[in-house]
Each structure stands twice: as structure tokens, then as C-alpha cells.
Amino acid sequence: VDPDYLGKMVPHSTPPQLPSLVGVAVSTSDLDQARQALQAGQIDFIDRGERLVVAPAQACGSAVLFEPEETVV
């Protein structure tokens, strides 16, 4: 993805250089359960409604996006 699109998908994220692995999408059958697991683990994330985003700084340098099974990019 280009840097502008990356900013829309993963707010406040700047890749070290392009190309690079900037994130992975994880398909989940229960987004609420994923949300609860992140909260229980005290993992900071951005809740974008149909997507939960764990910032690269919280996930070893690559963003982790949790999305419902039917919407994974």
C-alpha cells in the first residue's frame, strides 16, 4: 500500500521504508471477543467499529488488524 492509504488503515503509522511489512489482517468470527481479549491483555488498540487496530509500536513493528471473517482485505 502507499503511505497515504496506510495512514487510513493504520492511523499514526509510518513505515520505516517502502516496501515493508506494515501489518497483517486477522480474521475473527467474533470481533467483540477479540476486543475483550485485547482489553483483558491490556493491549492498546484503536477501535474503528468493524476493525480493531493494534499499532505497530504495540506489535513488534507491524500493525495487527482484527476484522470480521467476511471483511478481511
Side-chain angles (χ1 to χ4, degrees):
V1 298
D2 67 43
D4 292 334
Y5 187 68
L6 174 63
K8 293 176 186 171
M9 293 290 290
V10 184
H12 314 293
S13 177
T14 304
Q17 65 182 8
L18 293 176
S20 63
L21 177 63
V22 295
V24 295
V26 177
S27 174
T28 178
S29 61
D30 190 334
L31 195 60
D32 288 329
Q33 188 173 8
R35 184 181 290 108
Q36 291 170 6
L38 291 169
Q39 290 169 337
Q42 299 180 336
I43 298 169
D44 292 334
F45 65 96
I46 300 166
D47 191 336
R48 302 201 62 185
E50 288 297 312
R51 175 182 293 129
L52 307 176
V53 180
V54 178
Q58 298 292 320
C60 298
S62 294
V64 180
L65 289 69
F66 293 88
E67 302 178 341
E69 290 175 330
E70 60 276 356
T71 60
V72 172
V73 187

